[in-house]
Amino acid sequence: MSGLRILVPIKRVIDYAVKPRVNRAQTAVETANVKHSMNPFDELSIEEAIRLRERKVPIQEIVAFSAGPAKSQDILRTAMAMGADRSIHVVVEEKDPQLEPLGVAKLLKKVVEEQKSDLVILGKQSIDDDASQTGQMLAGLLGWPQATQASKVDISDKTVTVIKEVDGGVETIKANLPMIITTDLRLNEPRYASLPNIMKAKKKPLEKKTLKDYGLDEQPRLKTLKVTEPPPRKGGVKVDDVDGMISKLKELGAL
Amino acid sequence: MAASSRVAASLRRAALSSRPSPCIRNIRPALQVRWKTEATTSASTESVGQLDAKGGLDGPAPAKSIKFTSDSYPNIQRESKFAKLSEKHVQYFQELLGSDSAVLDGVTKDATEDIEPFNADWMRKFRGHAQLVLKPSTKEEVSAILKYCNDNMLAVVPQGGNTGLVGGSVPVFDEIVLNLQKMNNIRSFDEVSGILVADAGVILEVADNYLAERQHIFPLDLGAKGSCQIGGNVSTNAGGLRLLRYGSLHGSVLGIEAVLPDGTIVEDLSLLRKNNTGYDIKQLFIGSEGTIGIITGISIQCPRRSPAVNVAYFGLESYEQAQKAFVAAKAYLGEILSAFEMMDGRTQKILKKVAGTKLPLEGDYPFYCLVETSGSNTDHDSEKLQNFLEHVMESEIVADGVLAESQTQVAELWACRERITECLGHWGGVYKYDLSIPIAQMYDLVEDIRERLTKDGLLGDTDDHPVVDVVGYGHMGDANLHLNVPVRRFDKTVEKALEPYLYEWTSKRNGSISAEHGLGLSKKPYVGYSKSETMIKLIKQIKNLYDPNGILNPYKYI
């Protein structure tokens, strides 16, 4: 075996420390002038691919992939600064029809075939849409085995052992390559991109493509009717003294 | 009396990590933040305020074990001119303030437990004998209290969030504590001019959050922001992390409302940036540490909040290189540079050991710097930052570094600087010094002191050495060094080895013995190292003019 060809699809999302706001027209979440970064689950995927290589699993290449607006290049550069070898960017501008999980899965299938990947590591979900479907659909389209919500990955020869998170515990499964893995929070702790590596990443190849290059013309199947914020949490009440607290508790029927 | 520990942040962290999911501990904590923010923010800011009031910042140890200031400073004697509190006085205050919660009465009954948090400071270094705590809600109440105290020769200690580092906000003997926590309303904010008018007792973080919702920023940020009050910040002229960018409070505070010891209400809540009509009296109150009047409200110019914030963290091989990095940062980042902080390698090692956090860089370096930029346009800023980073990497000024790629990483990198104070307290106590020293010599002092303590056999790894280490960090951009000596126990021999030696050292280089912490009780005897006799005389004249009876914050300042 000449070594694994790993594909890591990543997504640019609103930074998870930023509170998302719904736009005035209630059609979508406001994205202009909002800090964006790599989907945190995808950071875990990149990190795991790099760690596999560091653990001397024979790896020929780690390719980062993203479909999204021009700015998605920033996260691809970050992925390469962390340790991915090269990346592919399919440009989907914000004004274009947006991809749904099935569309992404179809696109990824083409990429996997083109790149001859034999392991795809994806985040179990993106924190903007929270669909948690792409990995599974991709496995279905390719007819590959899948291990979702991975918290530990071991590869020896052609066999992959994955410990995955399930309700109330963990499940250990074994499958042969090629396969799909989706990552969960406990898998690893992603590294910082160091400055020397950020500099080096600038010189790594980044290929720009379009959906047409892959022969796809995906139209959304879903229509978003309305986006609303959750109802605001009711604030607490301050009381002046113990008597005030007791009478308040009585008023609320807690005493 | 500014930067103390990152109290609020650490409490919030504690709140997050104590959630019942043991195996999630290894995951970068902020992953949960997005989903927890709404649930915890409001609760945590409140609980921080209350925790502070209980003095519980350093953990569960009861305040009682703190030594009385009057015992640790036996040369300070209670001034006999002050009257002793009686039932009659308490009755007056009770009638004046009405509600029970506004008067903590330890005169006619035993209220030691309730009053203790107001008597002791968060560093557990100072503890007074106050028997009465008053919490007025209006400036009129403050005025009535002060007039009565002035007429009856009762000494008063004004108190805000009680996060000071020099013992200025706690009583020494039986002074009445006048706490401003009930004056906590934001009065107005003008979105066009950016001028905020607020009560003195508003907590800094509350004010900043209020401004954040309106795309503005409080021009002051410091570790204790979750507990400290803006009135206290102004009266101590707090410095902090944003000074490099937004300047000192002497520039941003436009007006104050204060009460003089005789009850006179000084209404000067100016909303004007320019007002050249007579002496600028408000400047006297900024940094007066409650010795000439009590600030009850402020108006302050708040800048627009920068939507684009970037943070980088570097490892450097020497202090020389840190200086070069600072010069380069000024050259390449100019107007967007908003913080340049220096931490020595020892602080980062202690952080790693005590907090158990993974440091951002793999290797060990003797110095680290944190650079923050704030600007209005992400693309412009990134380009400037890229050029700067390329320069410092290629010219080998920095050995290694990381750039925050997300908001969470920004917070994590800041934690490497902000959590130092908290971690240094791990062994029991810390001798803290806050000095302004010409930037080229700033770190020499740390090495000098470390050598001195090692030679005296005070510094070592074992329990029979009182001193754990000598570390330096601080606001390099402002030539402000925080020299900290974490100790296993407070020990007079350590103190003697440090003082007045390091004050003399600083004075010889025309530095300041207190850059931002103020004078309070602990720096009072050493003011001569930074101020001439003439200056001290002028300061005393002002004090006597406004407070002829000396009832405000006695035994301190000058």
Side-chain angles (χ1 to χ4, degrees), chain B residues 28-300:
Chain B
R28 304 192 312 162
L31 274 173
Q32 280 89 47
V33 169
R34 181 172 181 155
W35 299 296
K36 287 298 285 186
T37 306
E38 286 104 315
T40 50
T41 313
S42 57
S44 70
T45 34
E46 269 160 39
S47 68
V48 165
Q50 262 140 40
L51 261 178
D52 171 62
K54 286 189 198 94
L57 296 176
D58 249 359
K64 286 217 176 81
S65 56
I66 307 169
K67 223 169 148 184
F68 280 115
T69 311
S70 54
D71 294 336
S72 35
Y73 290 79
N75 50 338
I76 303 177
Q77 295 296 320
R78 185 183 183 281
E79 284 194 35
S80 53
K81 68 176 178 187
F82 295 128
K84 295 232 174 199
L85 272 167
S86 70
E87 221 165 299
K88 187 187 76 188
H89 299 134
V90 176
Q91 206 180 346
Y92 173 83
F93 293 123
Q94 271 162 345
E95 275 163 25
L96 175 70
L97 300 177
S99 104
D100 271 355
S101 61
V103 181
L104 296 182
D105 165 24
V107 180
T108 59
K109 54 189 178 198
D110 180 27
T112 325
E113 293 278 319
D114 295 339
I115 292 178
E116 203 52 49
F118 298 88
N119 257 328
D121 78 319
W122 73 272
M123 293 186 304
R124 313 166 52 77
K125 244 182 182 167
F126 304 98
R127 183 176 169 213
H129 301 267
Q131 292 171 296
L132 184 64
V133 178
L134 303 176
K135 297 188 227 167
S137 313
T138 63
K139 58 178 189 278
E140 287 79 15
E141 287 179 357
V142 177
S143 165
I145 293 169
L146 285 190
K147 185 169 184 338
Y148 184 83
C149 291
N150 200 37
D151 292 346
N152 292 280
M153 286 304 285
L154 294 165
V156 176
V157 178
Q159 188 178 75
N162 198 7
T163 60
L165 292 157
V166 288
S169 57
V170 285
V172 182
F173 298 102
D174 57 348
E175 298 94 283
I176 297 170
V177 175
L178 193 154
N179 190 297
L180 288 131
Q181 61 177 243
K182 286 202 163 195
M183 291 190 67
N184 58 1
N185 291 316
I186 289 176
R187 299 190 199 171
S188 70
F189 177 67
D190 183 334
E191 307 234 358
V192 178
S193 64
I195 295 170
L196 174 83
V197 182
D199 285 354
V202 173
I203 287 172
L204 178 58
E205 194 168 38
V206 173
D208 195 45
N209 288 342
Y210 173 89
L211 289 164
E213 283 170 26
R214 289 155 185 81
Q215 285 81 48
H216 280 70
I217 189 168
F218 202 90
L220 170 79
D221 183 22
L222 47 89
K225 69 173 159 194
S227 316
C228 65
Q229 299 172 5
I230 57 175
N233 295 146
V234 172
S235 68
T236 57
N237 189 23
L241 306 165
R242 287 178 189 157
L243 192 128
L244 178 71
R245 175 70 167 268
Y246 301 120
S248 106
L249 290 174
H250 279 296
S252 44
V253 173
L254 300 179
I256 56 152
E257 173 193 274
V259 181
L260 299 183
D262 66 359
T264 309
I265 299 175
V266 181
E267 303 241 26
D268 183 28
L269 278 176
S270 162
L271 301 179
L272 309 167
R273 271 206 105 158
K274 302 167 95 172
N275 183 6
N276 270 352
T277 52
Y279 293 132
D280 194 357
I281 299 292
K282 70 166 184 288
Q283 300 294 0
L284 288 178
F285 288 84
I286 302 173
S288 66
E289 298 183 24
T291 55
I292 57 174
I294 296 181
I295 296 177
T296 52
I298 62 162
S299 58
I300 185 162

Side-chain angles (χ1 to χ4, degrees), chain B residues 312-442:
Chain B
Y313 174 94
F314 302 131
L316 305 108
E317 293 296 354
S318 70
Y319 184 68
E320 313 279 278
Q321 301 288 35
Q323 291 180 63
K324 281 189 198 158
F326 178 49
V327 172
K330 283 194 291 185
Y332 282 78
L333 302 171
E335 71 288 352
I336 59 167
L337 181 64
S338 57
F340 196 102
E341 299 283 316
M342 183 275 291
M343 299 82 77
D344 68 7
R346 290 160 189 269
T347 58
Q348 300 300 288
K349 264 186 211 142
I350 287 174
L351 181 75
K352 187 175 168 184
K353 192 162 149 192
V354 176
T357 49
K358 203 177 128 215
L359 295 180
L361 298 179
E362 294 286 319
D364 282 340
Y365 300 94
F367 291 92
Y368 294 87
C369 286
L370 184 145
V371 181
E372 186 192 69
T373 65
S374 313
S376 52
N377 187 312
T378 320
D379 297 340
H380 292 181
D381 289 7
S382 307
E383 203 182 317
K384 285 177 196 163
L385 195 61
Q386 288 299 336
N387 289 340
F388 166 66
L389 295 178
E390 258 167 49
H391 171 72
V392 291
M393 287 302 298
E394 275 162 20
S395 52
E396 291 179 358
I397 293 173
V398 310
D400 198 0
V402 293
L403 181 65
E405 302 285 347
S406 65
Q407 210 59 41
T408 311
Q409 289 190 352
V410 166
E412 283 172 6
L413 293 183
W414 263 116
C416 295
R417 163 64 181 86
E418 292 176 330
R419 293 193 70 192
I420 294 173
T421 322
E422 168 197 346
C423 292
L424 289 174
H426 175 73
W427 288 271
V430 188
Y431 287 98
K432 291 179 164 298
Y433 299 94
D434 159 49
L435 312 152
S436 275
I437 299 171
I439 209 162
Q441 297 157 339
M442 208 164 95

Side-chain angles (χ1 to χ4, degrees), chain A residues 162-202:
Chain A
V162 177
I163 299 181
K164 47 177 292 199
E165 310 263 328
V166 293
D167 271 355
V170 293
E171 220 171 69
T172 308
I173 59 167
K174 206 181 252 186
N176 284 339
L177 287 167
M179 88 177 273
I180 307 287
I181 296 173
T182 72
T183 59
D184 210 335
L185 288 175
R186 262 168 273 219
L187 183 57
N188 58 46
E189 215 174 315
R191 69 195 62 195
Y192 286 90
S194 79
L195 287 181
N197 289 336
I198 291 175
M199 300 297 158
K200 278 182 215 151
K202 287 188 174 179

Side-chain angles (χ1 to χ4, degrees), chain A residues 240-252:
Chain A
D240 271 343
D241 43 32
V242 176
D243 290 342
M245 185 171 77
I246 291 170
S247 63
K248 194 80 207 168
L249 287 173
K250 278 189 181 150
E251 195 184 304
L252 295 168

